[in-house]
Amino acid sequence: MGAGTALAVVLIALIVTLVTGGDDDGAVPTPPVASALASEQPRSLAVPSIGLKAAVVPIALDPSGVLTPPSSPLVGWWQRSAVPGQTSGQMLITGHTIHDGYGIMNRLGEVKPGDTVSVTNDEGTVEYTTDKVEVLSKQELADNAQELFGQDHGDGRLVLVTCDDFVDGEYLSNIVLFAHPVDAASADADAAAA
C-alpha cells in the first residue's frame, strides 16, 4: 500500500465522523462550510524546528468521502476548516509521511511543545506555538475526530496530521500536532493580568 493510500484510508474514518458529527441519534448534521476568500486561504506552512517548508493547496472530500493530501512536497488544507488568523474553528493541514523517506511530514513527530509553526496567506503570516504532539491509533483518531478536527468549536487552533508506525505495508497510527495562535495566547495573558 502506498503512502497516499495509507493516509487516505486513515482519514476515511476521520471524515465520516466529521460529516456525521458522530451523533448517536442518527442525525447527520452538515459541518459548517468555510467561507474563506482566496486571499485568506493558507499558501505556505513552515515548521522551522524540523526544516519543514511547504506550499499549501486546498483539498476537499472526494465523492467517496475521502480527504486525500496532495503529493509531497505539497501539503493540503481542508477547505472546510478555519483559515490563518480565524478565531473560531480549527485549521486542518495534512501531508504525507513516506516510510522510506521523502515525505514532507516525515519528521513531524520530532516537533516539541513550544516550537513555532507559521502559516502564511496573502494577508500575512500567522505564528502558532505548538501545544502538544500526539500519536493516536487509527481507532483513537476516528473515535475523537469531532473533538480533534470539528469546526463547531475551537479558537482557530492549528492541527497538523500525518501517518506513523509503518508495519507490514500499512500505517497503524497518526501523528497529530496541536498549536495555538501566538496572538491568542498574548491576548489571554493580557486579559489574565488585567
Side-chain angles (χ1 to χ4, degrees), residues 50-152:
I50 58 170
L52 187 158
K53 291 181 184 174
V56 179
V57 296
I59 56 176
L61 298 177
D62 70 16
S64 62
V66 177
L67 184 67
T68 303
S71 298
S72 283
L74 300 174
V75 295
W77 162 70
W78 182 35
Q79 58 189 359
R80 286 180 161 252
S81 69
V83 295
Q86 190 171 323
T87 57
S88 63
Q90 305 179 80
M91 181 171 31
L92 174 60
I93 296 178
T94 183
H96 286 295
T97 293
I98 300 175
H99 71 279
D100 56 0
Y102 311 109
I104 191 66
M105 287 194 172
N106 272 19
R107 297 182 57 205
L108 190 64
E110 298 173 27
V111 179
K112 305 289 185 228
D115 285 353
T116 300
V117 179
S118 301
V119 182
T120 301
N121 62 15
D122 293 348
E123 298 178 357
T125 298
V126 177
E127 299 287 330
Y128 295 83
T129 300
T130 301
D131 297 312
K132 62 183 174 178
V133 180
E134 296 182 333
V135 176
L136 301 173
S137 71
K138 290 180 184 179
Q139 190 60 53
E140 289 172 320
L141 189 79
D143 290 348
N144 297 295
Q146 181 59 29
E147 176 189 339
L148 298 173
F149 312 109
Q151 296 304 302
D152 60 344

Side-chain angles (χ1 to χ4, degrees), residues 8-24:
V9 168
V10 169
L11 289 177
I12 288 173
L14 159 68
I15 298 310
V16 167
T17 305
L18 283 172
V19 171
T20 65
D23 290 345
D24 294 330

